Protein backbone atom coordinates (compact mmCIF):
# COMPACT_ATOMS: atom_id res chain seq x y z
CA UNK A 1 0.00 0.00 0.00
CA UNK A 2 1.10 3.54 -0.72
CA UNK A 3 1.77 5.95 2.13
CA UNK A 4 3.04 9.50 2.59
CA UNK A 5 4.27 10.98 5.85
CA UNK A 6 4.62 14.64 6.72
CA UNK A 7 6.17 14.48 10.18
CA UNK A 8 5.50 18.12 11.12
CA UNK A 9 1.98 19.40 11.64
CA UNK A 10 3.29 22.96 11.73
CA UNK A 11 6.44 24.75 10.65
CA UNK A 12 7.23 28.29 11.76
CA UNK A 13 9.90 30.33 10.01
CA UNK A 14 10.92 33.98 10.04
CA UNK A 15 10.44 35.98 6.88
CA UNK A 16 13.60 35.92 4.77
CA UNK A 17 14.88 32.69 6.27
CA UNK A 18 15.07 29.44 4.33
CA UNK A 19 12.22 26.99 4.83
CA UNK A 20 11.91 23.22 4.59
CA UNK A 21 8.74 21.14 4.73
CA UNK A 22 9.47 17.45 5.09
CA UNK A 23 7.91 14.51 3.25
CA UNK A 24 8.71 10.81 3.06
CA UNK A 25 6.89 8.27 0.94
CA UNK A 26 6.39 4.58 0.32
CA UNK A 27 5.19 3.39 -3.08
CA UNK A 28 5.76 0.36 -5.26
CA UNK A 29 8.19 0.91 -8.09
CA UNK A 30 9.27 4.32 -9.28
CA UNK A 31 7.39 7.13 -7.54
CA UNK A 32 5.56 10.09 -8.98
CA UNK A 33 5.80 12.84 -6.33
CA UNK A 34 3.91 16.11 -5.99
CA UNK A 35 3.59 19.13 -3.74
CA UNK A 36 0.35 21.07 -3.50
CA UNK A 37 -0.49 24.20 -1.50
CA UNK A 38 -3.86 25.17 -0.07
CA UNK A 39 -4.77 28.71 0.90
CA UNK A 40 -7.78 29.29 3.19
CA UNK A 41 -11.14 28.39 1.59
CA UNK A 42 -9.44 27.44 -1.66
CA UNK A 43 -8.66 24.24 -3.49
CA UNK A 44 -5.27 22.60 -3.71
CA UNK A 45 -2.88 24.33 -6.07
CA UNK A 46 -0.08 22.46 -7.85
CA UNK A 47 3.47 23.57 -6.92
CA UNK A 48 5.82 21.04 -8.46
CA UNK A 49 6.33 17.40 -9.36
CA UNK A 50 9.01 14.77 -9.73
CA UNK A 51 8.48 12.10 -12.36
CA UNK A 52 11.98 11.28 -13.54
CA UNK A 53 15.29 12.98 -14.25
CA UNK A 54 17.08 15.60 -12.17
CA UNK A 55 16.62 15.05 -8.43
CA UNK A 56 16.19 18.79 -7.82
CA UNK A 57 12.86 19.99 -9.10
CA UNK A 58 11.94 23.65 -9.40
CA UNK A 59 8.36 24.82 -9.21
CA UNK A 60 6.07 27.78 -8.77
CA UNK A 61 6.68 30.80 -6.51
CA UNK A 62 10.39 30.00 -6.02
CA UNK A 63 9.80 26.61 -4.40
CA UNK A 64 11.94 23.58 -5.10
CA UNK A 65 12.07 20.00 -3.88
CA UNK A 66 14.77 17.39 -3.73
CA UNK A 67 14.06 13.76 -4.53
CA UNK A 68 16.20 11.40 -2.47
CA UNK A 69 15.64 7.79 -3.47
CA UNK A 70 17.75 6.20 -0.75
CA UNK A 71 15.92 8.12 1.99
CA UNK A 72 12.56 7.95 0.17
CA UNK A 73 12.15 11.67 0.81
CA UNK A 74 10.87 14.62 -1.19
CA UNK A 75 11.36 17.70 0.99
CA UNK A 76 10.01 21.05 -0.12
CA UNK A 77 12.36 24.01 0.15
CA UNK A 78 12.56 27.72 -0.48
CA UNK A 79 15.70 29.85 0.04
CA UNK A 80 13.87 32.90 1.42
CA UNK A 81 10.38 32.68 2.92
CA UNK A 82 7.67 35.28 2.35
CA UNK A 83 4.72 36.03 4.62
CA UNK A 84 2.50 35.20 1.64
CA UNK A 85 3.90 31.63 1.67
CA UNK A 86 1.89 30.94 4.83
CA UNK A 87 -0.53 28.16 3.89
CA UNK A 88 -1.18 24.42 4.19
CA UNK A 89 1.20 22.24 2.19
CA UNK A 90 0.46 18.71 1.03
CA UNK A 91 2.88 16.13 -0.28
CA UNK A 92 1.41 13.42 -2.53
CA UNK A 93 2.72 10.29 -4.18
CA UNK A 94 1.74 7.47 -6.46
CA UNK A 95 3.42 4.64 -8.32
CA UNK A 96 3.71 4.44 -12.07
CA UNK A 97 0.55 3.00 -13.57
CA UNK A 98 -1.66 4.09 -10.66
CA UNK A 99 -4.11 6.96 -10.84
CA UNK A 100 -4.63 7.16 -7.08
CA UNK A 101 -2.73 9.94 -5.38
CA UNK A 102 -1.89 9.29 -1.74
CA UNK A 103 -1.61 12.46 0.32
CA UNK A 104 0.15 13.29 3.54
CA UNK A 105 -1.76 14.92 6.39
CA UNK A 106 -0.50 18.35 5.46
CA UNK A 107 1.90 20.80 7.11
CA UNK A 108 0.81 24.27 8.13
CA UNK A 109 3.53 26.75 7.28
CA UNK A 110 3.55 30.06 9.13
CA UNK A 111 6.00 32.73 8.02
CA UNK A 112 6.47 35.31 10.72
CA UNK A 113 7.17 38.92 9.70
CA UNK B 1 -9.00 28.76 -18.82
CA UNK B 2 -11.80 28.46 -16.29
CA UNK B 3 -10.92 26.32 -13.29
CA UNK B 4 -12.66 23.36 -11.73
CA UNK B 5 -15.97 24.47 -10.25
CA UNK B 6 -17.73 22.78 -7.37
CA UNK B 7 -21.24 23.42 -6.07
CA UNK B 8 -22.34 24.00 -3.39
CA UNK B 9 -19.42 25.40 -1.43
CA UNK B 10 -21.09 24.43 1.84
CA UNK B 11 -23.90 22.05 2.73
CA UNK B 12 -25.41 21.33 6.12
CA UNK B 13 -27.85 18.44 6.26
CA UNK B 14 -29.36 16.16 8.86
CA UNK B 15 -28.46 12.54 9.25
CA UNK B 16 -30.57 10.44 6.91
CA UNK B 17 -31.02 13.14 4.29
CA UNK B 18 -29.65 13.10 0.77
CA UNK B 19 -27.07 15.48 -0.66
CA UNK B 20 -25.76 15.82 -4.20
CA UNK B 21 -22.45 17.51 -4.91
CA UNK B 22 -21.58 18.74 -8.38
CA UNK B 23 -18.25 19.21 -10.13
CA UNK B 24 -17.58 20.91 -13.45
CA UNK B 25 -14.07 20.05 -14.63
CA UNK B 26 -11.87 22.11 -16.89
CA UNK B 27 -13.09 21.79 -20.47
CA UNK B 28 -11.19 19.10 -22.36
CA UNK B 29 -10.04 17.27 -19.24
CA UNK B 30 -10.98 13.63 -19.66
CA UNK B 31 -9.82 12.59 -16.20
CA UNK B 32 -11.98 13.54 -13.23
CA UNK B 33 -11.33 12.58 -9.62
CA UNK B 34 -13.17 12.86 -6.33
CA UNK B 35 -11.22 13.10 -3.06
CA UNK B 36 -12.37 13.67 0.51
CA UNK B 37 -10.73 15.13 3.58
CA UNK B 38 -12.25 14.29 6.90
CA UNK B 39 -11.36 16.82 9.61
CA UNK B 40 -7.69 16.57 10.58
CA UNK B 41 -6.99 13.53 8.46
CA UNK B 42 -5.42 12.82 5.09
CA UNK B 43 -7.05 13.63 1.79
CA UNK B 44 -8.36 10.29 0.55
CA UNK B 45 -9.06 9.13 -2.99
CA UNK B 46 -12.68 8.23 -3.72
CA UNK B 47 -12.87 7.53 -7.44
CA UNK B 48 -11.62 8.28 -10.93
CA UNK B 49 -13.49 8.80 -14.20
CA UNK B 50 -12.08 8.78 -17.69
CA UNK B 51 -14.70 10.57 -19.73
CA UNK B 52 -17.98 8.96 -18.63
CA UNK B 53 -16.46 5.68 -17.47
CA UNK B 54 -15.54 4.83 -13.90
CA UNK B 55 -11.93 3.66 -14.00
CA UNK B 56 -11.45 3.13 -10.30
CA UNK B 57 -13.99 3.46 -7.50
CA UNK B 58 -12.04 1.51 -4.92
CA UNK B 59 -11.99 4.47 -2.55
CA UNK B 60 -15.76 4.85 -2.26
CA UNK B 61 -16.59 4.20 1.40
CA UNK B 62 -19.81 2.21 0.89
CA UNK B 63 -22.89 1.91 -1.28
CA UNK B 64 -24.41 5.08 0.17
CA UNK B 65 -22.15 6.97 -2.20
CA UNK B 66 -22.97 7.15 -5.92
CA UNK B 67 -20.95 9.06 -8.49
CA UNK B 68 -21.91 9.75 -12.07
CA UNK B 69 -20.41 11.66 -14.94
CA UNK B 70 -22.99 12.43 -17.55
CA UNK B 71 -21.66 12.48 -21.11
CA UNK B 72 -18.13 12.82 -19.85
CA UNK B 73 -18.69 16.40 -18.74
CA UNK B 74 -19.78 17.37 -15.23
CA UNK B 75 -19.91 14.88 -12.38
CA UNK B 76 -22.17 14.43 -9.39
CA UNK B 77 -21.54 12.67 -6.10
CA UNK B 78 -24.66 11.68 -4.19
CA UNK B 79 -24.70 10.60 -0.58
CA UNK B 80 -27.89 8.81 0.40
CA UNK B 81 -28.65 8.52 3.27
CA UNK B 82 -26.00 10.71 4.87
CA UNK B 83 -24.33 9.66 8.12
CA UNK B 84 -22.40 11.75 10.65
CA UNK B 85 -19.05 10.29 9.53
CA UNK B 86 -19.63 11.59 6.01
CA UNK B 87 -18.83 15.11 7.18
CA UNK B 88 -15.73 16.57 5.57
CA UNK B 89 -14.52 18.48 2.56
CA UNK B 90 -15.10 16.86 -0.82
CA UNK B 91 -12.68 17.88 -3.53
CA UNK B 92 -13.03 17.35 -7.23
CA UNK B 93 -10.01 17.48 -9.54
CA UNK B 94 -9.44 17.11 -13.24
CA UNK B 95 -6.50 16.54 -15.55
CA UNK B 96 -5.91 16.34 -19.26
CA UNK B 97 -3.80 13.21 -19.34
CA UNK B 98 -2.05 10.57 -17.29
CA UNK B 99 -1.21 11.07 -13.65
CA UNK B 100 2.12 12.74 -14.42
CA UNK B 101 -0.09 15.66 -15.49
CA UNK B 102 -0.87 17.77 -12.42
CA UNK B 103 -4.36 17.69 -11.01
CA UNK B 104 -6.41 20.89 -11.00
CA UNK B 105 -8.56 21.03 -7.89
CA UNK B 106 -11.81 22.79 -7.20
CA UNK B 107 -12.35 24.76 -4.00
CA UNK B 108 -14.20 21.83 -2.45
CA UNK B 109 -17.61 21.33 -0.88
CA UNK B 110 -17.70 21.38 2.90
CA UNK B 111 -20.34 18.89 3.99
CA UNK B 112 -21.62 18.89 7.54
CA UNK B 113 -24.00 16.15 8.64
CA UNK B 114 -25.74 16.86 11.94
Amino acid sequence: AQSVAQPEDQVNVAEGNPLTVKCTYSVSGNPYLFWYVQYPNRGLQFLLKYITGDNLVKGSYGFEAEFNKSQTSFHLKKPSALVSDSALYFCAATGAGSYQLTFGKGTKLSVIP
Amino acid sequence: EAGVTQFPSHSVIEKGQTVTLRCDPISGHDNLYWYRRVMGKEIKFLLHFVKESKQDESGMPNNRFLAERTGGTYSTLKVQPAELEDSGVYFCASSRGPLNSPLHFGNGTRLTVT
Side-chain angles (χ1 to χ4, degrees), chain B residues 22-104:
Chain B
R22 173 168 169 147
C23 169
D24 287 76
I26 293 171
S27 178
H29 282 195
D30 288 342
N31 293 274
L32 187 149
Y33 306 82
W34 284 97
Y35 283 83
R36 176 176 74 169
R37 187 180 192 211
V38 172
M39 181 65 71
K41 297 194 174 182
E42 294 91 343
I43 299 168
K44 294 282 193 182
F45 169 87
L46 295 178
L47 86 160
H48 169 217
F49 285 98
V50 176
K51 297 184 180 178
E52 68 275 11
S53 299
K54 291 178 188 174
Q55 291 295 113
D56 181 356
E57 52 183 333
S58 61
M60 295 286 261
N62 50 61
N63 59 9
R64 295 185 293 103
F65 288 75
L66 175 64
E68 294 179 324
R69 190 178 182 193
T70 306
T73 55
Y74 70 91
S75 175
T76 58
L77 179 64
K78 181 191 290 187
V79 184
Q80 179 183 29
E83 297 288 345
L84 297 179
E85 64 263 25
D86 300 333
S87 296
V89 181
Y90 290 76
F91 291 104
C92 175
S94 71
S95 69
R96 187 177 299 277
L99 192 53
N100 57 4
S101 305
L103 300 186
H104 298 260

Side-chain angles (χ1 to χ4, degrees), chain A residues 36 43 49 94 98 100-101 105, chain B residues 56 58 99-100 103 106-107:
Chain A
Y36 286 86
K49 66 179 180 181
T94 191
S98 170
Q100 288 193 28
L101 266 185
K105 285 187 176 182
Chain B
D56 181 356
S58 61
L99 192 53
N100 57 4
L103 300 186
N107 288 344

